[in-house]
mmCIF file of all heavy atoms in Angstrom:
data_model
loop_
_atom_site.group_PDB
_atom_site.id
_atom_site.type_symbol
_atom_site.label_atom_id
_atom_site.label_comp_id
_atom_site.label_asym_id
_atom_site.label_seq_id
_atom_site.Cartn_x
_atom_site.Cartn_y
_atom_site.Cartn_z
ATOM 1 N N PRO R 140 -38.603 -182.205 64.894
ATOM 2 C CA PRO R 140 -37.885 -183.360 64.147
ATOM 3 C C PRO R 140 -37.647 -182.980 62.715
ATOM 4 O O PRO R 140 -36.629 -183.246 62.105
ATOM 5 C CB PRO R 140 -38.774 -184.562 64.357
ATOM 6 C CG PRO R 140 -39.539 -184.338 65.598
ATOM 7 C CD PRO R 140 -39.761 -182.780 65.618
ATOM 8 N N GLU R 141 -38.630 -182.307 62.146
ATOM 9 C CA GLU R 141 -38.575 -181.968 60.697
ATOM 10 C C GLU R 141 -37.358 -181.024 60.492
ATOM 11 O O GLU R 141 -36.709 -181.014 59.508
ATOM 12 C CB GLU R 141 -39.907 -181.400 60.194
ATOM 13 C CG GLU R 141 -41.053 -182.297 60.251
ATOM 14 C CD GLU R 141 -41.652 -182.590 61.590
ATOM 15 O OE1 GLU R 141 -41.345 -181.784 62.515
ATOM 16 O OE2 GLU R 141 -42.313 -183.576 61.838
ATOM 17 N N ALA R 142 -37.292 -180.006 61.348
ATOM 18 C CA ALA R 142 -36.160 -179.018 61.208
ATOM 19 C C ALA R 142 -34.875 -179.676 61.286
ATOM 20 O O ALA R 142 -33.889 -179.248 60.536
ATOM 21 C CB ALA R 142 -36.352 -177.986 62.279
ATOM 22 N N ILE R 143 -34.732 -180.732 62.076
ATOM 23 C CA ILE R 143 -33.403 -181.442 62.160
ATOM 24 C C ILE R 143 -33.200 -182.290 60.931
ATOM 25 O O ILE R 143 -32.142 -182.309 60.307
ATOM 26 C CB ILE R 143 -33.335 -182.242 63.459
ATOM 27 C CG1 ILE R 143 -33.496 -181.357 64.678
ATOM 28 C CG2 ILE R 143 -32.004 -183.010 63.455
ATOM 29 C CD1 ILE R 143 -33.668 -182.058 65.936
ATOM 30 N N ALA R 144 -34.279 -182.994 60.565
ATOM 31 C CA ALA R 144 -34.179 -184.054 59.499
ATOM 32 C C ALA R 144 -33.785 -183.336 58.191
ATOM 33 O O ALA R 144 -32.961 -183.910 57.438
ATOM 34 C CB ALA R 144 -35.445 -184.802 59.351
ATOM 35 N N GLU R 145 -34.312 -182.160 57.989
ATOM 36 C CA GLU R 145 -34.024 -181.555 56.615
ATOM 37 C C GLU R 145 -32.582 -181.038 56.541
ATOM 38 O O GLU R 145 -32.071 -180.759 55.419
ATOM 39 C CB GLU R 145 -34.980 -180.375 56.402
ATOM 40 C CG GLU R 145 -34.801 -179.170 57.310
ATOM 41 C CD GLU R 145 -35.821 -178.103 57.131
ATOM 42 O OE1 GLU R 145 -36.906 -178.446 56.639
ATOM 43 O OE2 GLU R 145 -35.560 -176.908 57.439
ATOM 44 N N ARG R 146 -31.825 -180.968 57.729
ATOM 45 C CA ARG R 146 -30.434 -180.514 57.681
ATOM 46 C C ARG R 146 -29.605 -181.730 57.730
ATOM 47 O O ARG R 146 -28.265 -181.593 57.575
ATOM 48 C CB ARG R 146 -30.196 -179.606 58.862
ATOM 49 C CG ARG R 146 -30.888 -178.345 58.750
ATOM 50 C CD ARG R 146 -30.896 -177.567 60.063
ATOM 51 N NE ARG R 146 -31.441 -176.215 59.935
ATOM 52 C CZ ARG R 146 -32.658 -175.849 60.025
ATOM 53 N NH1 ARG R 146 -33.560 -176.785 60.166
ATOM 54 N NH2 ARG R 146 -33.032 -174.599 59.995
ATOM 55 N N LEU R 147 -30.084 -182.974 57.943
ATOM 56 C CA LEU R 147 -29.137 -184.134 58.008
ATOM 57 C C LEU R 147 -28.476 -184.435 56.661
ATOM 58 O O LEU R 147 -27.250 -184.812 56.655
ATOM 59 C CB LEU R 147 -29.887 -185.407 58.531
ATOM 60 C CG LEU R 147 -30.176 -185.411 60.034
ATOM 61 C CD1 LEU R 147 -31.246 -186.438 60.324
ATOM 62 C CD2 LEU R 147 -28.861 -185.649 60.727
ATOM 63 N N PRO R 148 -29.142 -184.404 55.548
ATOM 64 C CA PRO R 148 -28.458 -184.810 54.210
ATOM 65 C C PRO R 148 -27.217 -183.937 54.003
ATOM 66 O O PRO R 148 -27.430 -182.691 54.117
ATOM 67 C CB PRO R 148 -29.571 -184.657 53.239
ATOM 68 C CG PRO R 148 -30.887 -184.780 53.956
ATOM 69 C CD PRO R 148 -30.588 -184.219 55.335
ATOM 70 N N GLY R 149 -26.178 -184.520 53.776
ATOM 71 C CA GLY R 149 -24.920 -183.722 53.455
ATOM 72 C C GLY R 149 -24.151 -183.284 54.623
ATOM 73 O O GLY R 149 -22.961 -182.939 54.579
ATOM 74 N N ALA R 150 -24.685 -183.378 55.881
ATOM 75 C CA ALA R 150 -23.990 -183.152 57.086
ATOM 76 C C ALA R 150 -22.981 -184.184 57.417
ATOM 77 O O ALA R 150 -23.218 -185.354 57.185
ATOM 78 C CB ALA R 150 -24.903 -182.910 58.304
ATOM 79 N N THR R 151 -21.766 -183.872 57.788
ATOM 80 C CA THR R 151 -20.667 -184.815 58.111
ATOM 81 C C THR R 151 -20.047 -184.455 59.432
ATOM 82 O O THR R 151 -20.283 -183.402 59.984
ATOM 83 C CB THR R 151 -19.658 -184.762 57.036
ATOM 84 O OG1 THR R 151 -19.038 -183.431 56.974
ATOM 85 C CG2 THR R 151 -20.161 -185.159 55.660
ATOM 86 N N GLY R 152 -19.301 -185.440 59.925
ATOM 87 C CA GLY R 152 -18.431 -185.175 61.079
ATOM 88 C C GLY R 152 -19.238 -184.688 62.337
ATOM 89 O O GLY R 152 -20.337 -185.170 62.631
ATOM 90 N N GLY R 153 -18.705 -183.730 62.968
ATOM 91 C CA GLY R 153 -19.218 -183.178 64.208
ATOM 92 C C GLY R 153 -20.639 -182.579 63.951
ATOM 93 O O GLY R 153 -21.446 -182.690 64.865
ATOM 94 N N ALA R 154 -20.845 -181.953 62.878
ATOM 95 C CA ALA R 154 -22.087 -181.351 62.558
ATOM 96 C C ALA R 154 -23.141 -182.454 62.538
ATOM 97 O O ALA R 154 -24.245 -182.337 63.043
ATOM 98 C CB ALA R 154 -22.107 -180.610 61.206
ATOM 99 N N ARG R 155 -22.829 -183.527 61.829
ATOM 100 C CA ARG R 155 -23.820 -184.692 61.728
ATOM 101 C C ARG R 155 -24.167 -185.350 63.060
ATOM 102 O O ARG R 155 -25.276 -185.588 63.398
ATOM 103 C CB ARG R 155 -23.277 -185.736 60.725
ATOM 104 C CG ARG R 155 -24.196 -186.953 60.562
ATOM 105 C CD ARG R 155 -25.287 -186.460 59.570
ATOM 106 N NE ARG R 155 -25.865 -187.576 58.755
ATOM 107 C CZ ARG R 155 -26.742 -188.400 59.220
ATOM 108 N NH1 ARG R 155 -27.141 -188.398 60.431
ATOM 109 N NH2 ARG R 155 -27.280 -189.339 58.402
ATOM 110 N N VAL R 156 -23.075 -185.405 63.956
ATOM 111 C CA VAL R 156 -23.236 -186.014 65.265
ATOM 112 C C VAL R 156 -24.180 -185.084 66.096
ATOM 113 O O VAL R 156 -25.021 -185.529 66.810
ATOM 114 C CB VAL R 156 -21.850 -186.151 65.949
ATOM 115 C CG1 VAL R 156 -22.070 -186.442 67.414
ATOM 116 C CG2 VAL R 156 -21.050 -187.210 65.209
ATOM 117 N N GLY R 157 -23.949 -183.800 65.979
ATOM 118 C CA GLY R 157 -24.733 -182.859 66.742
ATOM 119 C C GLY R 157 -26.253 -182.950 66.312
ATOM 120 O O GLY R 157 -27.130 -182.919 67.228
ATOM 121 N N LEU R 158 -26.490 -183.083 65.052
ATOM 122 C CA LEU R 158 -27.864 -183.089 64.561
ATOM 123 C C LEU R 158 -28.488 -184.546 64.976
ATOM 124 O O LEU R 158 -29.647 -184.616 65.390
ATOM 125 C CB LEU R 158 -27.915 -183.105 63.034
ATOM 126 C CG LEU R 158 -27.548 -181.775 62.484
ATOM 127 C CD1 LEU R 158 -27.481 -181.726 60.974
ATOM 128 C CD2 LEU R 158 -28.582 -180.621 62.885
ATOM 129 N N MET R 159 -27.659 -185.609 64.936
ATOM 130 C CA MET R 159 -28.226 -186.887 65.426
ATOM 131 C C MET R 159 -28.623 -186.901 66.826
ATOM 132 O O MET R 159 -29.620 -187.429 67.220
ATOM 133 C CB MET R 159 -27.096 -187.956 65.186
ATOM 134 C CG MET R 159 -26.857 -188.263 63.652
ATOM 135 S SD MET R 159 -25.407 -189.315 63.416
ATOM 136 C CE MET R 159 -26.019 -190.895 63.877
ATOM 137 N N ARG R 160 -27.765 -186.261 67.701
ATOM 138 C CA ARG R 160 -28.095 -186.165 69.079
ATOM 139 C C ARG R 160 -29.317 -185.261 69.279
ATOM 140 O O ARG R 160 -30.166 -185.618 70.215
ATOM 141 C CB ARG R 160 -26.891 -185.612 69.889
ATOM 142 C CG ARG R 160 -25.816 -186.671 69.924
ATOM 143 C CD ARG R 160 -24.547 -186.123 70.696
ATOM 144 N NE ARG R 160 -23.434 -187.101 70.579
ATOM 145 C CZ ARG R 160 -22.228 -186.838 71.082
ATOM 146 N NH1 ARG R 160 -21.956 -185.686 71.612
ATOM 147 N NH2 ARG R 160 -21.275 -187.812 71.024
ATOM 148 N N ALA R 161 -29.409 -184.167 68.591
ATOM 149 C CA ALA R 161 -30.551 -183.332 68.703
ATOM 150 C C ALA R 161 -31.829 -184.003 68.330
ATOM 151 O O ALA R 161 -32.935 -183.952 69.060
ATOM 152 C CB ALA R 161 -30.431 -182.108 67.893
ATOM 153 N N LEU R 162 -31.804 -184.784 67.334
ATOM 154 C CA LEU R 162 -32.892 -185.625 66.839
ATOM 155 C C LEU R 162 -33.353 -186.644 67.893
ATOM 156 O O LEU R 162 -34.490 -186.849 68.138
ATOM 157 C CB LEU R 162 -32.581 -186.293 65.526
ATOM 158 C CG LEU R 162 -33.821 -187.059 64.798
ATOM 159 C CD1 LEU R 162 -34.939 -186.077 64.563
ATOM 160 C CD2 LEU R 162 -33.357 -187.673 63.595
ATOM 161 N N ALA R 163 -32.352 -187.215 68.530
ATOM 162 C CA ALA R 163 -32.630 -188.225 69.676
ATOM 163 C C ALA R 163 -33.320 -187.588 70.737
ATOM 164 O O ALA R 163 -34.163 -188.214 71.473
ATOM 165 C CB ALA R 163 -31.356 -188.951 70.079
ATOM 166 N N GLU R 164 -33.107 -186.288 70.987
ATOM 167 C CA GLU R 164 -33.812 -185.628 72.081
ATOM 168 C C GLU R 164 -35.282 -185.447 71.840
ATOM 169 O O GLU R 164 -36.081 -185.501 72.771
ATOM 170 C CB GLU R 164 -33.151 -184.231 72.369
ATOM 171 C CG GLU R 164 -31.671 -184.269 72.885
ATOM 172 C CD GLU R 164 -31.703 -184.475 74.388
ATOM 173 O OE1 GLU R 164 -32.743 -184.084 75.029
ATOM 174 O OE2 GLU R 164 -30.686 -185.074 74.854
#
Side-chain angles (χ1 to χ4, degrees):
E141 296 76 18
I143 300 169
E145 70 185 22
R146 292 167 172 85
L147 281 168
T151 59
R155 184 74 155 79
V156 169
L158 293 172
M159 292 170 73
R160 291 179 181 174
L162 186 59
E164 290 281 333

